[in-house]
């Protein structure tokens, strides 16, 4: 496999992981790194640390990873698109829908591959869950509920919990259901003294009728990453921290206890925990993006999908301000 020369801009916490994986994936070579703030984690490993995106482009790179703060995504992404550099932009796609729209248009006009780093799609538990849902193992899908809670990450400063964390759940929900959001409602609060919201409770309905529920915050002392999909045959529970997937089947045994039998609902059935091959999601994401650049596959989060997710996130914020569904 011919090696693609990769440029990495943004050498913070996510940049550190991107650099490691780029060096591990066949067909990729980390050719240049850039960050105006320097290299606090020693990512460069002897390479010069360039000052910005223009210098990165001048290194003759084939593709780039943009891991700068969200507010800089538009500036960096537009420069890379105009230079003909295929680019993976960390999520969210941009700080606003308007900026995200300009990025989508720029990558389309310049004919280069652009993708957004919604890494949860590559979690083994969610990959298996989507396949099982598509195969009809749940029958009709009723609801997708997520919980994404934990302490505040010091690396985030320019967006709130909706655009930083809830965008994971918005994207994975639409992807699992293969349907976009039609209606959302949200409540947010700010309890930590920072300028952006740090907790959101959101509900919604997808275009195909599935209802959704998302609890997301930076205020919990425990870390939780759970997706529950409930349908006519039972429920799947995906723990994406452990990459575990469990199926709780509806019961099929007839009960003789009258007070229970009279309840027209479901009963507990067998519980199955699946054995999954647990590959690192970030590595899979880079492999998929490499393949898209080479034209051999296109299993990436497209720029348009990233924009759709950001639009839904902004609608959640609009709903919380208006006190009404959007």
């Amino acid at each position: 496999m011919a090696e693609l020369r990769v440029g990495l801009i943004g050498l913070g916490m996510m940049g550190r992981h991107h650099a490691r994986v780029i060096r591990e994936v066949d067909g990729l070579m980390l050719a240049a790194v850039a960050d105006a703030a320097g290299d606090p984690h020693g990512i460069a490993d002897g390479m010069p640390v360039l000052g910005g995106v223009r210098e990165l482009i001048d290194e003759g790179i084939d593709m780039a990873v943009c891991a700068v703060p969200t507010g800089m995504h538009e500036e960096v992404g537009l420069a890379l698109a105009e230079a003909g550099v295929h680019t993976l932009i960390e999520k969210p796609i941009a700080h606003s829908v308007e900026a995200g729209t300009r990025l989508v248009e720029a990558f389309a006009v310049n004919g280069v591959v652009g993708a957004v780093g919604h890494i949860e799609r590559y979690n083994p538990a969610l990959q298996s869950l989507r396949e099982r849902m598509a195969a009809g193992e749940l029958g009709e899908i009723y609801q997708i509920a997520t919980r994404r809670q934990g302490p505040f990450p010091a690396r985030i400063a320019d967006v709130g919990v909706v655009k930083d964390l809830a965008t994971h759940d918005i994207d994975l929900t639409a992807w699992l259901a293969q349907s976009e959001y039609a209606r959302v409602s949200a409540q947010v609060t700010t309890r930590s003294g920072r300028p952006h919201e740090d907790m959101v409770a959101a509900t919604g309905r997808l275009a195909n009728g599935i209802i959704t529920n998302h609890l997301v915050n930076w205020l919990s002392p425990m870390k939780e990453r759970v997706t529950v999909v409930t349908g006519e045959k039972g429920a799947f529970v995906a723990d994406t921290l452990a990459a575990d997937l469990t199926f709780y089947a509806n019961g099929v045994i007839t009960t003789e206890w009258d007070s229970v039998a009279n309840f027209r609902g479901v009963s507990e059935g067998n519980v199955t925990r699946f054995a999954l091959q647990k590959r690192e999601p970030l590595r899979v994401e880079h492999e998929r993006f490499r393949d898209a650049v080479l034209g051999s596959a296109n299993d990436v989060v497209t720029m348009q999908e990233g924009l759709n997710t950001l639009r839904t996130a902004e609608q959640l914020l609009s709903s919380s301000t208006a006190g009404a569904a959007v």
Side-chain angles (χ1 to χ4, degrees):
M1 180 182 293
E3 283 191 325
L4 296 169
R5 289 173 54 81
V6 184
L8 170 63
I9 181 164
L11 306 182
M13 292 297 290
M14 277 306 299
R16 176 178 62 176
H17 295 300
H18 279 294
R20 170 181 56 81
V21 172
I22 291 167
R23 287 177 167 129
E24 293 173 352
V25 172
D26 291 341
L28 302 182
M29 178 184 71
L30 186 60
V33 297
D35 195 318
D39 184 16
H41 303 292
I43 292 170
D45 193 26
M47 288 190 295
V49 179
L50 306 173
V53 67
R54 298 297 174 184
E55 295 93 328
L56 195 71
I57 292 168
D58 289 343
E59 291 296 310
I61 55 176
D62 302 304
M63 58 177 272
V65 175
C66 175
V68 298
T70 303
M72 299 173 63
H73 285 187
E74 180 185 12
E75 175 188 351
V76 171
L78 289 178
L80 290 164
E82 290 164 3
V85 178
H86 308 291
T87 304
L88 172 63
I89 298 178
E90 263 302 335
K91 61 85 200 159
I93 184 174
H95 65 283
S96 70
V97 166
E98 293 75 16
T101 300
R102 288 189 286 270
L103 283 169
V104 170
E105 293 172 350
F107 277 86
V109 166
N110 288 283
V112 289
V113 179
V116 184
H118 285 288
I119 194 172
E120 285 283 52
R121 285 202 193 185
Y122 304 101
N123 188 286
L126 293 180
Q127 290 261 316
S128 179
L129 173 54
R130 188 174 192 262
E131 292 174 0
R132 294 174 187 280
M133 289 171 63
E137 293 186 23
L138 266 184
E140 183 182 356
I141 308 300
Y142 300 153
Q143 180 188 56
I144 300 176
T146 68
R147 302 192 304 275
R148 187 173 301 271
Q149 307 177 97
F152 177 75
R155 63 183 176 83
I156 302 299
D158 58 345
V159 294
V161 75
V162 171
K163 289 187 178 179
D164 181 66
L165 275 194
T167 48
H168 279 304
D169 297 299
I170 295 167
D171 177 74
L172 72 85
T173 296
W175 175 71
L176 286 173
Q178 302 186 48
S179 178
E180 292 296 333
Y181 283 77
R183 187 176 180 86
V184 294
S185 179
Q187 300 289 331
V188 304
T189 189
T190 303
R191 299 290 183 177
S192 54
R194 286 177 286 268
H196 301 289
E197 80 288 343
D198 43 33
M199 175 177 279
V200 60
T203 60
R205 183 180 293 273
L206 304 183
N208 63 3
I210 295 173
I211 61 174
T212 68
N213 178 275
H214 310 300
L215 297 177
V216 188
N217 72 65
W218 281 326
L219 299 174
S220 296
M222 78 291 185
K223 191 171 183 179
E224 184 179 37
R225 302 286 187 268
V226 176
T227 299
V228 181
V229 182
T230 304
E232 64 176 322
K233 297 180 181 179
F236 280 107
V237 178
D239 179 342
T240 54
L241 279 178
D244 286 336
L245 180 63
T246 304
F247 178 58
Y248 295 80
N250 291 344
V252 295
I253 299 174
T254 302
T255 178
E256 297 180 0
W257 184 4
D258 290 341
S259 62
V260 175
N262 289 334
F263 172 67
R264 291 178 176 270
V266 301
S267 58
E268 296 179 358
N270 294 330
V271 179
T272 305
R273 182 172 176 271
F274 298 100
L276 305 175
Q277 182 182 17
K278 297 184 178 181
R279 302 189 66 226
E280 182 183 2
L282 188 61
R283 185 185 182 97
V284 177
E285 181 179 61
H286 274 277
E287 291 174 349
R288 297 293 186 270
F289 187 66
R290 173 204 64 196
D291 294 346
V293 169
L294 294 174
S296 60
N298 195 30
D299 182 18
V300 297
V301 184
T302 67
M303 301 291 277
Q304 184 61 55
E305 289 174 320
L307 178 60
N308 293 346
T309 292
L310 178 59
R311 182 177 289 110
T312 300
E314 291 201 351
Q315 289 171 333
L316 289 179
L317 294 173
S318 296
S319 169
S320 69
T321 300
V326 176

